[in-house]
């Protein structure tokens, strides 16, 4: 059987770096992409040293530009000849008062976070369909799809859109044995975990703030071919935070 291939977007930092390492360690040929050229190239070199030459391909791409997604898909398929897993992780937000947020800023967020995920899914799914072997797509959404703080309209809309896109894609792609799920992370600390306070951890029923590895394990579960009975769902990985009732003292 040919070695499985995973595409991971937004891989240069944060959760994406850990996702890339997790899939490479699991034996996948791993295509990593980010608009940060230096960051994604450095990560590819690091992972190739750890897991073997030819195990990782870096592709620089701004997913807010549709043409770059076409180039990404072409380069990735030319490299490995297949795609089994797509993790739509790339995204960013703009925190700005509603009355100051321009439509151009709104479009930048929606185009990168939502349209970019749609186009990546379309490109990957076409190759999964044509292979006849199916595959798995995971969209990294957010608990911000379900709850909000002020001044986050564009980001919340993009993540809410991702959860809806997930079940729509799951319906459309089911004839081709392609599962589509989303993960909504809560507080995932990508900085210095040791600097977190007790009160930060105590906000969670789990008793701790999340780590990127929590999301990587969830992705590996959802993209395991043996778990093809799970599709069209949004998995909330947040230590219970969005279910916790909070009363002011």
């Amino acid at each position: 059987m040919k070695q499985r291939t995973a595409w991971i977007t937004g891989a240069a930092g944060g959760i994406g770096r850990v996702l890339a390492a997790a899939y490479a360690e699991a034996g996948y040929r791993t295509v990593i992409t980010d608009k940060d050229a230096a960051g994604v190239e450095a990560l590819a070199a690091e992972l190739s040293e750890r897991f073997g030459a030819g195990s990782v391909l870096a592709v620089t791409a701004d997913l807010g530009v549709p043409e770059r997604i076409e180039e990404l898909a072409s380069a990735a398929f030319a490299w490995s000849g297949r795609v089994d897993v797509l993790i739509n992780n790339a995204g960013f937000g703009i925190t700005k008062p509603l009355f100051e947020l321009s439509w151009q800023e709104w479009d930048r967020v929606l185009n990168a976070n939502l349209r970019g995920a749609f186009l990546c899914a379309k490109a990957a799914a076409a190759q999964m369909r044509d292979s006849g072997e199916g595959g798995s797509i995971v969209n990294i959404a957010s608990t911000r799809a379900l709850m909000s703080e002020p001044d986050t309209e564009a980001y919340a809309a993009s993540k809410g859109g991702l959860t809806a896109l997930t079940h729509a894609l799951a319906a459309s792609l089911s004839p081709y044995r392609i599962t589509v799920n989303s993960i909504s992370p809560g507080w995932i600390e990508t900085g210095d975990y040791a600097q977190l306070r007790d009160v930060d951890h105590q906000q969670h029923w789990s008793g701790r703030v999340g780590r990127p590895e929590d999301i990587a394990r969830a992705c590996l579960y959802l993209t395991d071919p043996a778990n093809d009975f799970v599709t069209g769902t949004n998995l909330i990985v947040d230590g219970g935070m969005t279910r916790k009732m909070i009363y002011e003292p």
Side-chain angles (χ1 to χ4, degrees), residues 3-9 11 15-33 43 47-48 50-52 54-57 79 83-89 128 135-140 179 181-183 212-225 227 235:
Q3 188 176 15
R4 286 165 59 81
T5 298
W7 298 358
I8 298 169
T9 72
I15 292 172
R17 287 183 61 87
V18 174
L19 289 172
Y23 276 87
E25 185 173 14
Y28 285 76
R29 298 192 78 195
T30 307
V31 179
I32 58 175
T33 186
L43 178 60
L47 295 179
S48 294
R50 289 173 60 188
F51 302 112
S55 60
V56 180
L57 173 70
W79 180 66
V83 55
D84 303 277
V85 169
L86 166 67
I87 310 294
N88 275 316
N89 171 69
M128 294 173 181
S136 300
I137 297 170
V138 176
N139 298 317
I140 305 299
T179 63
N181 294 286
S182 60
I183 294 174
E213 290 79 6
D214 295 311
I215 305 306
R217 285 190 291 270
C219 284
L220 287 167
Y221 166 76
L222 290 174
T223 59
D224 185 326
N227 294 328
L235 178 61

Side-chain angles (χ1 to χ4, degrees), residues 89-106:
N89 171 69
F92 78 103
I94 296 174
T95 301
K96 195 170 186 179
L98 170 64
F99 300 109
E100 298 175 16
L101 184 71
S102 70
W103 66 264
Q104 292 93 340
E105 290 169 324
W106 168 276

Side-chain angles (χ1 to χ4, degrees), residues 86 88 116-127 137 169 173:
L86 166 67
N88 275 316
F118 163 69
L119 292 175
C120 286
K122 184 178 179 182
Q127 295 181 11
I137 297 170
L169 286 171
L173 297 176

Side-chain angles (χ1 to χ4, degrees), residues 132-249:
E133 297 180 34
S136 300
I137 297 170
V138 176
N139 298 317
I140 305 299
S142 171
T143 51
R144 298 304 180 94
L146 309 170
M147 55 192 291
S148 289
E149 291 180 310
D151 307 327
T152 60
E153 281 74 17
Y155 186 76
S158 72
K159 295 303 185 177
L162 268 181
T163 62
L165 176 65
T166 294
H167 55 72
L169 286 171
S172 298
L173 297 176
S174 61
Y176 311 110
R177 297 194 298 129
I178 300 170
T179 63
V180 188
N181 294 286
S182 60
I183 294 174
S184 287
W187 184 347
I188 303 297
E189 182 57 49
T190 59
D192 186 352
Y193 201 86
Q195 293 301 310
L196 294 171
R197 305 163 299 167
D198 287 344
V199 68
D200 298 326
H201 296 294
Q202 291 165 5
Q203 293 181 61
H204 301 78
W205 285 340
S206 63
R208 66 172 176 87
V209 174
R211 297 180 173 92
E213 290 79 6
D214 295 311
I215 305 306
R217 285 190 291 270
C219 284
L220 287 167
Y221 166 76
L222 290 174
T223 59
D224 185 326
N227 294 328
D228 62 352
F229 197 59
V230 182
T231 191
T233 197
N234 177 48
L235 178 61
I236 298 173
V237 182
D238 72 341
M241 196 174 188
T242 57
R243 295 302 189 197
K244 182 179 179 181
M245 294 181 69
I246 299 174
Y247 293 99
E248 293 295 335

